Amino acid sequence: MSEFASGTLSAKNIHLSFGSNHVLRGIDLHVPQGTTASVIGPSGSGKSTLLRVMNRLIEPDQGDILLDGRSVLKDNPDELRRRIGMVFQQFNLFPHKTVEENVSLALRKLRKLSKEEARSEALEQLDLVGLKHKADSRPANLSGGQQQRVAIARALAMKPEVMFFDEATSALDPELVKGVLALMTDLAKGGMTMVVVTHEMGFSRNVSDAVTFMDAGVVVESGPPEQLFTDPRTDRLKGFLSDVL
Amino acid sequence: MDFLTRLGETFLDWNKIAEVLPSMFAVGLPNTLVLAITSGLIGAFAGLILALMGISRNPVARWAARVYTDVFRGLPAVLTILVIGLGFGPIFREMTGSNSPYPMGVAALALMAAAYTGEIFRSGIQSVDKGQLEASRALGFGYGPSMRLVVVPQGIRRVLPALMNQFIALIKDSSLVFTLGLLATERELFQIGQDAAARSGNLSPYVAAAIFYLAMTIPLTHLVNYIDARLRTGRPEKKEPDDAAAVVGKGAQA
C-alpha cells in the first residue's frame, strides 16, 4: 500500500522552443501511480526543462500534460504546482527563513494552517528527514546534504501527488550524496510517484521502475532499467553509458 | 600666529556656539529629524514601488519607472526643492490653508529619495538568485506572493547598507529646505546656524551645526559598516557533521 496520495502523470508530445532553439521535440513520458521514472541523458538534452514544463514553470508550445488522466493545461498553474513537489539541484531553500519556516511557509500561506499547526506539521516532516533538531537553524548553517533533505521535507509537506527531483544530488559533496539518495529511495519504496532527473546511474538502475534516455530534446530510448542498462539499442545510449559508467 | 588666532575666533568662538546650542537641540535637531525621517519613509515606500515597476513585465510600468528615475536623479536637489516648494506650495496653501513649507519640502526630498532608493531596491531584488523565485513558484505561490514573501525580503536585506547611506544623504539634503523660507519654529539645524552666524557676524554657529550633522552621520556610517559586515558573514553557528544523513534512509541498506 502506498503511504502517499500519489497520482499518475503523463506528458504527451511536448514541444518547446526558446527562440530558434527547439529544446523539446515531441516528448512523451508516462509515469504510473506509485512508480519512479528516472530521466537520464547528457547535459543540455532538455531533462530539467521537461520537468519545468510538466509543472508549468514553463508553458509548453504544444502537447498535453495529464494528472490522473485529466489535462491540467487549463488549470490554474499555481494550484497544479501545489500537487507536484519539486526538489532542485541547488536546494533553493529560503536563506532568510529558518529551516522550520522554510517547511511551514506554504502550509501557512497556501494550506491556511494556523502558525502552531503549520509548525507541528513542519516538525513532523523534518523528523522524517532526520533534521528536527535543526528546525530553528538557518539554511546557511546546514551542510549541503542537510539542506537538500530540508528541501525534500518542504516539498513533501504540501502532500504532493508527484515529486520531481532535478539533479538533486549533483551539487553535493560525494560523502553527502548517500543520505539524500537513501531518502529518495525510501520515498520511491513508499509508493510516491516520482520523476527523477539524475546523473546517479546506480539510483536510476536500482530504484527506478522505468528509465527514459533523452538527447537533444527527444526521447531516444525508454523502458525498464535492466533493458536500458544491459541492452542499450541505440548508439547514442551506448555512447552515453560508456561515458558515464 | 595672527591668522591662526583669527581663524579660531571666526570658527571656534565657544560663547557663540554655546548661545546657539539650546535652539539647535530644541528646534533644529527635531526639525531636521522630522524632515529626514518622513521623507526617508515616504521615499523608501515609493522607491519600492518604483523598483517593482522597474522589473515588471509590463513595458509601460518599466518605462514610467525609468523616466521618473532619470529625471529625479538627474536634477540638483536644490532645484527640485525650489521648483516643488515654490510651484506647488501656493496650490497646497490654497487647498489646506497651511502656510508651512514642510509638506512641500518633504515631498521634494521624498521624490528624490524615491528615485535613488528605487534603484537600490531594484539592484537588490535583481541580485536574488532566480532559483528563489522558481522554488517559491514550484511550491504553488503566485508571482506576487513569491515576490512579497521570498524575493523582496532578501533583496531588501542585501541593500540595507546602501539604504542607510541614502538616509545619510537625506539628513544632509534636508538642510536645503531653508530655500523655501522657514518660520522661527520651523528652522532646522542649518538655518539656525545660518541665522546665528548672520546675526553675530561669526561662523562658529555653522561649526555647531556641522557638529550636529556629524554626530548623526558618522555613527550611522559606522552602523552601515557593521550591518554590512554582519550581512556578509552572518551570525556564527556551530556546524555538525552530516552523520545523520547516513542513518535516515533505511532504503539505502535494503
Side-chain angles (χ1 to χ4, degrees):
Chain A
M1 260 327 273
S2 169
E3 300 168 24
F4 306 103
S6 55
T8 295
L9 179 74
S10 300
K12 289 204 155 71
N13 191 30
I14 300 290
H15 283 268
L16 177 74
S17 298
F18 296 125
S20 61
N21 187 7
H22 203 161
V23 187
L24 299 175
R25 305 161 178 252
I27 302 283
D28 288 294
L29 185 71
H30 181 66
V31 191
Q33 179 181 18
T35 66
T36 296
S38 59
V39 182
I40 60 172
S43 301
S45 56
K47 311 181 296 287
S48 297
T49 308
L50 176 64
L51 282 186
R52 282 162 176 74
V53 166
M54 288 195 296
N55 72 0
R56 293 179 64 196
L57 281 171
I58 305 170
E59 298 288 350
D61 296 335
Q62 193 190 319
D64 203 358
I65 300 152
L66 302 113
L67 192 51
D68 287 331
R70 203 179 65 79
S71 172
V72 293
L73 283 184
K74 297 221 160 51
D75 294 358
N76 178 339
D78 297 332
E79 275 160 28
L80 169 67
R81 287 185 214 112
R82 287 170 210 175
R83 301 168 64 190
I84 301 178
M86 185 158 183
V87 175
F88 299 88
Q89 181 175 0
Q90 299 295 342
F91 330 133
N92 293 348
L93 293 181
F94 306 136
H96 61 306
K97 299 199 173 287
T98 65
V99 164
E100 178 261 315
E101 287 165 347
N102 263 275
V103 181
S104 62
L105 183 70
L107 298 177
R108 273 173 44 214
K109 303 285 179 182
L110 297 178
R111 277 179 49 200
K112 308 286 179 198
L113 299 187
S114 73
K115 207 169 175 185
E116 295 72 32
E117 287 171 325
R119 181 172 167 88
S120 83
E121 200 161 325
L123 290 177
E124 213 170 285
Q125 290 296 339
L126 286 170
D127 202 20
L128 288 177
V129 301
L131 288 170
K132 195 177 173 183
H133 64 295
K134 288 287 183 187
D136 297 314
S137 297
R138 298 270 166 180
N141 292 308
L142 268 56
S143 74
Q146 291 173 328
Q147 289 189 48
Q148 194 59 298
R149 285 186 281 139
V150 172
I152 292 171
R154 176 173 74 178
L156 287 175
M158 288 297 282
K159 307 239 183 294
E161 295 158 53
V162 182
M163 281 287 284
F164 288 176
F165 292 84
D166 184 18
E167 302 191 19
T169 57
S170 298
L172 295 175
D173 291 337
E175 74 273 19
L176 305 181
V177 169
K178 197 175 149 199
V180 172
L181 285 182
L183 183 53
M184 290 166 62
T185 305
D186 282 352
L187 287 177
K189 295 196 168 166
M192 176 59 85
T193 307
M194 313 213 299
V195 184
V196 182
V197 167
T198 187
H199 292 294
E200 291 289 337
M201 293 304 136
F203 180 91
S204 178
R205 182 170 187 161
N206 299 324
V207 181
S208 52
D209 301 287
V211 181
T212 298
F213 170 64
M214 278 177 71
D215 192 11
V218 294
V219 173
V220 178
E221 221 173 303
S222 67
E226 273 316 304
Q227 180 196 316
L228 264 78
F229 283 100
T230 54
D231 182 24
R233 288 170 195 175
T234 56
D235 289 339
R236 277 201 271 182
L237 179 54
K238 280 177 196 161
F240 175 73
L241 289 177
S242 73
D243 285 344
V244 296
L245 290 178
Chain B
M1 296 308 272
D2 182 41
F3 90 102
L4 273 186
T5 322
R6 268 180 59 197
L7 274 183
E9 279 167 7
T10 312
F11 289 110
L12 295 172
D13 184 330
W14 301 110
N15 289 329
K16 299 271 177 358
I17 290 178
E19 264 171 42
V20 84
L21 281 184
S23 54
M24 283 207 167
F25 268 113
V27 181
L29 182 61
N31 281 340
T32 292
L33 286 174
V34 163
L35 284 168
I37 292 172
T38 48
S39 59
L41 290 176
I42 297 170
F45 181 73
L48 187 55
I49 292 170
L50 275 176
L52 292 171
M53 286 168 68
I55 57 171
S56 124
R57 280 169 287 193
N58 180 342
V60 179
R62 278 204 310 274
W63 181 82
R66 191 71 260 150
V67 170
Y68 177 94
T69 308
D70 285 349
V71 169
F72 281 97
R73 275 203 315 186
L75 292 174
V78 67
L79 190 143
T80 305
I81 289 172
L82 274 173
V83 166
I84 302 277
L86 302 181
F88 291 85
I91 301 169
F92 182 78
R93 201 176 309 137
E94 275 167 34
M95 281 165 57
T96 62
S98 159
N99 260 326
S100 169
Y102 268 41
M104 288 303 111
V106 166
L109 288 169
L111 286 171
M112 289 183 288
Y116 288 100
T117 50
E119 287 297 278
I120 294 171
F121 279 134
R122 189 175 61 82
S123 71
I125 292 167
Q126 286 183 324
S127 76
V128 175
D129 182 67
K130 299 252 178 304
Q132 292 290 310
L133 179 61
E134 196 172 47
S136 171
R137 304 232 47 189
L139 278 170
F141 286 105
Y143 178 81
S146 294
M147 292 300 279
R148 185 162 46 81
L149 295 166
V150 175
V151 178
V152 171
Q154 291 182 55
I156 290 179
R157 227 164 274 223
R158 276 179 210 194
V159 296
L160 275 181
L163 283 180
M164 288 296 271
N165 281 330
Q166 192 51 44
F167 183 63
I168 290 170
L170 213 41
I171 290 176
K172 297 184 289 181
D173 282 350
S174 70
S175 62
L176 292 169
V177 295
F178 88 91
T179 54
L180 299 179
L182 301 170
L183 298 175
T185 53
E186 292 168 347
R187 293 177 306 165
E188 38 64 66
L189 289 170
F190 173 76
Q191 179 77 67
I192 288 175
Q194 194 186 34
D195 286 354
R199 237 183 296 116
S200 62
N202 182 286
L203 297 182
S204 301
Y206 280 129
V207 174
I211 292 167
F212 272 87
Y213 282 112
L214 292 178
M216 287 186 280
T217 53
I218 291 176
L220 279 174
T221 310
H222 287 272
L223 180 65
V224 169
N225 295 342
Y226 171 77
I227 294 173
D228 199 26
R230 177 67 180 273
L231 286 174
R232 267 178 225 288
T233 54
R235 203 180 343 201
E237 191 179 320
K238 197 171 114 246
K239 277 200 187 184
E240 72 177 50
D242 199 281
D243 49 3
V247 225
V248 196
K250 291 161 295 272
Q253 282 110 45

